[in-house]
Amino acid sequence: MRPNLRILIPMLFILSLVLLSGCSEQFIVLDPKGPVGAAQKDLMWISTLLCSVVIVPVLLLSGFILWRYREKAGSKAAYTPNWAHSTKLEIIWWGIPIVIIIILAIVTAKYTYALEPSKPLESDKKPITVQVTSLDWKWLFQYPEQGIATVNYLQIPQGVPVKFELTSATAMNSFWIPQLGGQIYTMSGMAMTLFLQADEPGQYFGSGANFNGRDFAQMTFKVDATSQESFDAWVKKTKDASPALTMDGYTKLSEPGPSTVQYFSSFPAGLFERIVTQYAVGGSAHHHGGTQPKAINNGSTQDKSAPAAATPPLGHTGH
């Protein structure tokens, strides 16, 4: 090995460690605060360790072979130019990967079924529902049971399952709260279902994890997990001190562009369902997981099976 390479390689290794250590606080996906995030972290670690059984020995042997069989005067390394087969080695480098793949398949299948996004979480507490709509370039959160809505801000009670119903009013996006669980896509004409839960009080980072245009980087939001009492007080404060979201207000909100945090004391009944079905003929749409939801606003309900033609169409906003 050339002298300059002997110095350069260790320096690059040390530099990589320094850079990674400086970014350690950004690895929030490895610091889960909910049951879904914790299970996904376990799956990542199990998969990483199983793959390391193959990767680490291969890397070590690659370095050893380069060093052991390097060109050097007086080398005593075995020279067998006619060697062609070894049953023992064939069993090792085929058998171990096959066993690992089988184990990975079993573990992945188990976690895949356990972590089905629309599967309710086991809890003695009733889930709350939050309807999520991705816009250009902002997030609209509706609380049908509480009758309030927010933009780019989410507050949930700690220790209570949250049933997210998700759709997109425009381009496809990806809803992601890294410390609570993996991302799920929001798509026009579809209402996806995702159950998450925050086991600890705190403030968590949320974002759109999909490139979808000019201001996609500003599609971030804060998630505050608080006690049930603090959550109820926040709901009351929002209803008492915030304006109502009207259809004209929603039309303006849906115009392309980023937005600051906003709070609304109410929203039009059936708004989420009308967003889901705005491009559908006859007002039908696909719902992934669970039954079709109902819109609830200040005690009034609107069944999703009602004809879409009974309400005026939403204003269309292009890119």
Side-chain angles (χ1 to χ4, degrees), residues 130-134 139-142 164-167 175 272:
V130 178
Q131 295 171 333
V132 182
T133 302
S134 59
W139 293 96
L140 173 63
F141 301 106
Q142 301 175 65
F164 291 101
E165 297 173 351
L166 308 102
T167 191
F175 177 81
F272 181 79

Side-chain angles (χ1 to χ4, degrees), residues 7-46:
I7 299 174
L8 181 60
I9 292 177
M11 288 182 63
L12 290 175
F13 179 73
I14 295 173
L15 180 61
S16 299
L17 292 179
V18 172
L19 293 176
L20 288 175
S21 64
C23 298
S24 60
E25 294 182 358
Q26 302 300 318
F27 297 150
I28 53 179
V29 72
L30 298 179
D31 183 27
K33 301 299 181 182
V36 177
Q40 292 174 342
K41 176 186 175 182
D42 291 341
L43 177 59
M44 286 189 289
W45 279 118
I46 292 172

Side-chain angles (χ1 to χ4, degrees), residues 173-224:
N173 210 303
S174 179
F175 177 81
W176 190 28
I177 308 175
Q179 289 183 277
L180 300 187
Q183 63 85 28
I184 187 170
Y185 285 107
T186 60
M187 292 172 276
S188 296
M190 298 185 69
M192 311 297 288
T193 301
L194 171 67
F195 280 88
L196 296 177
Q197 178 178 308
D199 288 337
E200 301 179 17
Q203 188 172 89
Y204 306 116
F205 171 78
S207 73
N210 197 58
F211 296 98
N212 71 328
R214 183 188 67 211
D215 292 316
F216 77 92
Q218 299 189 49
M219 287 194 67
T220 61
F221 56 92
K222 292 181 180 179
V223 182
D224 280 331

Side-chain angles (χ1 to χ4, degrees), residues 9 29 35 45 54 85 97 111 118-119 121 129 146 152-153 155 157 163 172 189 229 234 246 250 284 302 310:
I9 292 177
V29 72
W45 279 118
V54 172
H85 177 75
Y111 274 87
S118 62
K119 182 179 179 181
L121 301 177
T129 300
Q146 289 74 28
N152 291 343
Y153 177 75
Q155 185 161 333
K163 179 184 179 183
M172 182 173 71
E229 293 74 17
W234 172 74
T246 63
Y250 170 76
S284 62
Q302 177 179 333

